[in-house]
Amino acid sequence: MEENMEEGQTQKGCSECCLKCLSGIPYASLIATILLYAGVALFCGCGHEALSGTVTILQTYFDVVRSPVDALDVFTMIDIFKYVIYGVAGAFFVYGILLMVEGFFTTGAIRDLYGDFKITTCGRCVSAWFIMLTYIFMLAWLGVTAFTSLPVFMYFNIWNTCQNNTVVYNTNLCFDLRQFGIVSIGEEKKLCTASENFIKMCESNELDLTFHLFVCALAGAGAAVIAMVHYLMVLSANWAYVKDACRMQKYEDIKSKEEQELHDIHSTRSKERLNAYT
């Protein structure tokens, strides 16, 4: 009988411990972090491979040659974008961890506000700093999303022309890279629908794969924007809850102090009356 009671108490203690641990998990921050990591991974991975596919298409079908000197041509820009992608992946991996840690501390702080725990001014300043930084990153990701839509639009035009090749068979449509700013005005790099290179490009897998990789990169940038908005809502709500709870905590401290002073005054007067009576 005693063994069964001990086992029941042990199971109850384990379940209470598990519930306490689960209650301390910031689920909103966890969802935003998963969405951020998925979006950044999709953008960086697909964007990197799409840029590599763009280099292959330019060199193979548009006959664009890499500049022998250290000039700022399209290939140099693509290399710079690849290094930027590496930096974005590492930076937002660290930033996601920081926001998760901040979420854990804030969730624990809100849970313990009515106990002995008190929020420091430094903690509130850190939360406000994260709100400002996340807002800036949200605007940056909006810019990245808009910028990523440009190659999607360009590749969609070429891909759509290849899909409707039978319709434009009797016409001679040309894609001039100078219109997109890929080459300088002095270079004439055209690819017309009647040319052999255009037919080969449409029959190859590079165009279709690169186009869909850019679409996936655009979707990843959009997911990162949604994650930043989610983080903003979570951080703003936590900051507001902590601020209001801190005011309530100060009010309770002042109230308890006044009650203690009234109790001391009442005790002093009672003693004085007792002494006067005796």
Side-chain angles (χ1 to χ4, degrees), residues 113 119 124 237-249:
L113 264 174
I119 304 298
R124 297 196 298 271
N238 288 342
W239 186 78
Y241 289 151
V242 170
K243 185 177 180 181
D244 292 340
C246 286
R247 290 177 179 177
M248 183 62 68
Q249 187 71 30

Side-chain angles (χ1 to χ4, degrees), residues 84-240:
V84 170
I85 285 175
Y86 300 149
V88 167
F92 279 92
F93 177 77
V94 175
Y95 190 66
I97 293 176
L98 291 177
L99 288 178
M100 272 299 297
V101 171
E102 196 273 343
F104 271 107
F105 277 110
T106 307
T107 303
I110 293 173
R111 189 180 66 249
D112 297 334
L113 264 174
Y114 294 99
D116 295 329
F117 187 86
K118 293 185 179 180
I119 304 298
T120 61
T121 305
C122 180
R124 297 196 298 271
C125 291
V126 169
S127 297
W129 171 255
F130 273 122
I131 292 173
M132 183 185 68
L133 199 60
T134 304
Y135 182 77
I136 294 173
F137 284 149
M138 184 198 69
L139 296 179
W141 275 110
L142 281 174
V144 170
T145 304
F147 182 77
T148 310
S149 64
L150 297 178
V152 172
F153 175 73
M154 291 187 292
Y155 272 103
F156 175 76
N157 289 332
I158 301 174
W159 180 81
N160 192 36
T161 304
C162 289
Q163 296 297 316
N164 300 301
N165 195 17
T166 56
V167 178
V168 298
Y169 181 75
N170 295 325
T171 59
N172 190 22
L173 300 178
C174 295
F175 295 96
D176 195 345
L177 295 182
R178 292 177 296 182
Q179 296 176 341
F180 304 108
I182 296 177
V183 296
S184 61
I185 301 297
E187 299 181 60
E188 185 176 354
K189 297 295 181 181
K190 291 183 179 181
L191 187 62
C192 300
T193 55
S195 64
E196 185 179 356
N197 280 343
F198 183 81
I199 297 173
K200 289 181 179 179
M201 182 180 66
C202 292
E203 292 176 350
S204 65
N205 294 324
E206 284 89 356
L207 178 64
D208 188 71
L209 180 61
T210 304
F211 168 61
H212 288 92
L213 283 173
F214 270 120
V215 171
C216 292
L218 180 62
V225 172
I226 296 173
M228 290 292 105
V229 174
H230 197 164
Y231 269 130
L232 275 176
M233 293 189 295
V234 172
L235 291 171
S236 300
N238 288 342
W239 186 78

